[in-house]
Amino acid sequence: MPVYSLLLLCAALLAGCDNGDKAPLAPASGDPARGKLLLAQYHCGSCHAIAEVPAARGVIGPALDGYGRRSYIAGHVPNAPEALARWIVDPAAMKPGTTMPAMGVSLDDARHMAAYLTELR
């Protein structure tokens, strides 16, 4: 079989492996209502403006309104609820040199916070 024919056959086989549909993001495993309260408790609004979170009018960090529409966390990490929870717990582990500090948030609390943020459209 000529090399060109073999390449065409391989391309055809590989094309059949993906139907072009992207899988939806897995839903966040936390409770959005609890996450909203935790965002206030951990004073995330000191740096970020966050929709419907009391006193969350910070301007040092990016506004988090509409966060659920974002493709990336900190412009670096693909946005998914579990990745966002890990980011909240230890931002520097995911993006060395980031200015976002670790605030002592547990992974469980971070999952609730991620659930709230990913609902912001």
Side-chain angles (χ1 to χ4, degrees), residues 9-81:
L9 176 62
C10 288
L13 290 172
L14 289 173
C17 293
D18 181 12
N19 65 5
D21 293 335
K22 294 196 184 265
L25 288 177
S29 61
D31 173 16
R34 179 155 170 70
K36 181 179 173 182
L37 295 172
L38 289 166
L39 287 163
Q41 178 183 320
Y42 282 101
H43 302 280
C44 299
S46 297
C47 294
H48 300 279
I50 309 168
E52 299 181 28
V53 174
R57 297 180 203 9
V59 295
I60 296 169
L64 300 179
D65 299 331
Y67 182 84
R69 294 189 309 258
R70 294 186 184 178
S71 299
Y72 292 95
I73 300 165
H76 181 73
V77 179
N79 191 11

